[in-house]
Amino acid sequence: MVDICCGVVSCGAEAAAMRSAETGSRGARRRRMEIRRLGFDAGSEAPAVEDGPSGKRRRMDGCAAAVAAAGSAEKSASTSGGSSSPERTVAAPEELDLSDRVPRFGMAAVCGRRRDMEDAVSIRPDFVGGDHRIPARHHFFGVFDGHGCSHVASLCKDRMHEVVAEEVETLAPGAGTPSQAWRVAMERSFARMDSEAVDGGGGGRPSPDCRCELQPPRCDHVGSTAVVAVIGPTRIVVANCGDSRAVLCRNGAPIPVSSDHKPDREDELQRIEAIGGRVIYWDGARVLGVLAMSRAIGDSYLKPYVVSEPEVTVTEREEGDECLILASDGLWDVVSNETACDIARMCLRGGGGDEEEEGGGGGGDALCSDAAILLTKLALARRSADNISVVVIDLRGKPKRRTTTPW
């Protein structure tokens, strides 16, 4: 049984509160200030966050990152097998000692009412660019919602940014328009990831302690959605495969920059039926009555009906851009785009306006983390039945002048 953190407390706030509580009873001080150990279950991993290649080190708060679930949503829910477990939460408010070209971000992930945590999150600032071939620095964010087991989502977390970087660098010398170049790079990247997941290359096969049954064909029943955002100084590139989602908040309004791949979506239904597949309504629309999404990485037993080809959007950044929200369907099943956008904007406004000057973003990541945590709490309170992973990226500030180069 893992311990649940009771709150998010900054180092400075913790020290001040400890001093003010010295006159109180020991029990009261413990209740207010104790930060319990953050336990990770076997299937819940911290998000992968890398330092950028600029040589500057990541600066982490001395306090542990934490999240809390509110009210009755914190209580455990019974699983299909009749067992129950407490809500297990993970959060990673980050503070990066990087230039203001790196957007502020925050994330939260909860196991929710599922028995196992099968989501994975990858955050890679400065994952490509900053050299003579690709001058502009780009930043990678990804949410991967696994099904059947967690190892395909974990593979995507560890490898997707590397594959995208390789494809972008390969295309850089002769790339066409931004939309064309990014679409080709993303399609190739997702195809490579799918091949690794299916063939077992790069760790796609389960490890000895994997939670899925270690006997084929059960391992062929494992897959993952993928929603990936690459943020540059002038553009936001989103590639989506599955029913995770990306929503851009611009001038106070939500703009979906991805489209869910559900089996009953008209074009997806036609595609599946045209090649001899069927969509069966069994607790919702499912491919062959099994999978509740029409595109995913892995799931070799459902090919060719379930494909890994992503839909790619390239959006020019504008001054009215406020934030980008990436999340698994555990959020979107119970929270609308409008509500998510309103909550994220409300949390970001707590910082007192745009803070894009260098050295002036000390609280930016905490605000983004607050927004992600609040969204996960809302989804839990609305009784989401799935794992919930949320990434909030602060886009405020004047974007750079647009260029005609793809990168």
Side-chain angles (χ1 to χ4, degrees):
M1 187 70 67
V2 297
D3 293 322
I4 305 302
C5 295
C6 12
V8 178
V9 184
S10 67
C11 291
E14 180 184 4
M18 289 181 69
R19 288 194 297 270
S20 65
E22 286 178 354
T23 60
S25 67
R26 176 176 298 179
R29 182 168 64 252
R30 285 179 178 173
R31 287 194 298 271
R32 287 193 301 267
M33 300 311 306
E34 182 183 1
I35 299 180
R36 299 186 179 94
R37 296 187 307 276
L38 179 61
F40 292 93
D41 66 337
S44 178
E45 302 182 33
V49 183
E50 286 189 348
D51 292 338
S54 60
K56 296 184 179 180
R57 294 183 179 229
R58 180 177 58 188
R59 187 178 75 251
M60 297 294 295
D61 282 336
C63 297
V67 300
S72 62
E74 287 183 329
K75 298 178 181 179
S76 60
S78 297
T79 64
S80 59
S83 62
S84 61
S85 60
E87 301 298 341
R88 291 163 290 193
T89 61
V90 182
E94 302 290 339
E95 287 196 13
L96 300 179
D97 190 13
L98 299 173
S99 72
D100 58 359
R101 288 174 294 183
V102 178
R104 301 175 179 89
F105 58 86
M107 65 81 59
V110 299
C111 185
R113 291 174 172 82
R114 288 294 182 92
R115 180 180 61 184
D116 300 315
M117 182 64 170
E118 295 176 340
D119 286 4
V121 175
S122 178
I123 299 173
R124 316 279 176 164
D126 284 338
F127 86 111
V128 70
D131 55 29
H132 67 285
R133 299 183 65 194
I134 306 175
R137 297 186 183 278
H138 291 76
H139 319 289
F140 179 97
F141 302 86
V143 172
F144 310 100
D145 181 0
H147 47 263
C149 190
S150 61
H151 65 261
V152 172
S154 296
L155 172 66
C156 292
K157 178 193 74 172
D158 295 335
R159 284 281 294 144
M160 181 68 88
H161 69 287
E162 297 174 345
V163 175
V164 172
E166 291 169 6
E167 293 298 334
V168 168
E169 290 170 352
T170 300
L171 285 174
T177 65
S179 295
Q180 293 171 341
W182 279 111
R183 181 170 291 106
V184 171
M186 288 299 187
E187 288 176 353
R188 291 180 179 178
S189 300
F190 276 59
R192 285 178 57 184
M193 281 305 313
D194 183 63
S195 178
E196 290 188 15
V198 171
D199 298 337
R205 287 294 178 185
S207 61
D209 59 350
C210 194
R211 283 189 301 274
C212 71
E213 309 292 339
L214 297 185
Q215 303 156 11
R218 285 299 298 272
C219 292
D220 294 333
H221 292 203
V222 179
S224 176
T225 72
V227 59
V228 167
V230 175
I231 297 180
T234 61
R235 300 180 183 95
I236 301 169
V237 181
V238 173
N240 180 56
C241 172
D243 57 4
S244 297
R245 191 183 304 169
V247 175
L248 172 67
C249 300
R250 172 177 288 174
N251 295 319
I255 301 176
V257 286
S258 70
S259 180
D260 300 353
H261 294 125
K262 296 291 189 180
D264 56 351
R265 203 178 89 175
E266 184 176 359
D267 56 340
E268 292 293 282
L269 177 61
Q270 293 175 355
R271 176 184 63 80
I272 293 169
E273 292 180 341
I275 55 178
R278 293 183 63 191
V279 173
I280 299 173
Y281 290 82
W282 182 268
D283 191 23
R286 296 176 181 270
V287 178
L288 301 185
V290 179
L291 192 63
M293 66 204 71
S294 56
R295 301 194 191 190
I297 293 174
D299 294 303
S300 59
Y301 75 113
L302 288 175
K303 296 187 182 304
Y305 314 120
V306 174
V307 298
S308 61
E309 180 182 356
E311 288 185 312
V312 183
T313 62
V314 179
T315 306
E316 298 291 340
R317 295 185 63 173
E318 298 182 2
E319 291 188 28
D321 292 348
E322 295 169 277
C323 65
L324 180 69
I325 304 171
L326 307 180
S328 59
D329 64 334
L331 175 73
W332 304 117
D333 284 347
V334 295
V335 177
S336 67
N337 295 349
E338 292 77 8
T339 300
C341 183
D342 289 343
I343 289 175
R345 293 176 61 245
M346 176 187 67
C347 292
L348 294 180
R349 283 200 302 267
D354 297 352
E355 295 178 353
E356 285 295 323
E357 297 180 2
E358 187 171 358
D365 289 329
L367 297 175
C368 291
S369 293
D370 288 345
I373 292 167
L374 190 55
L375 287 170
T376 60
K377 287 182 178 181
L378 177 60
L380 287 170
R382 293 185 175 183
R383 306 196 65 78
S384 172
D386 207 345
N387 301 148
I388 308 163
S389 296
V390 182
V391 178
V392 177
I393 306 152
D394 189 350
L395 300 176
R396 293 174 299 172
K398 187 175 181 179
K400 291 189 176 182
R401 181 177 300 177
R402 298 176 186 175
T403 64
T404 57
T405 61
W407 319 116

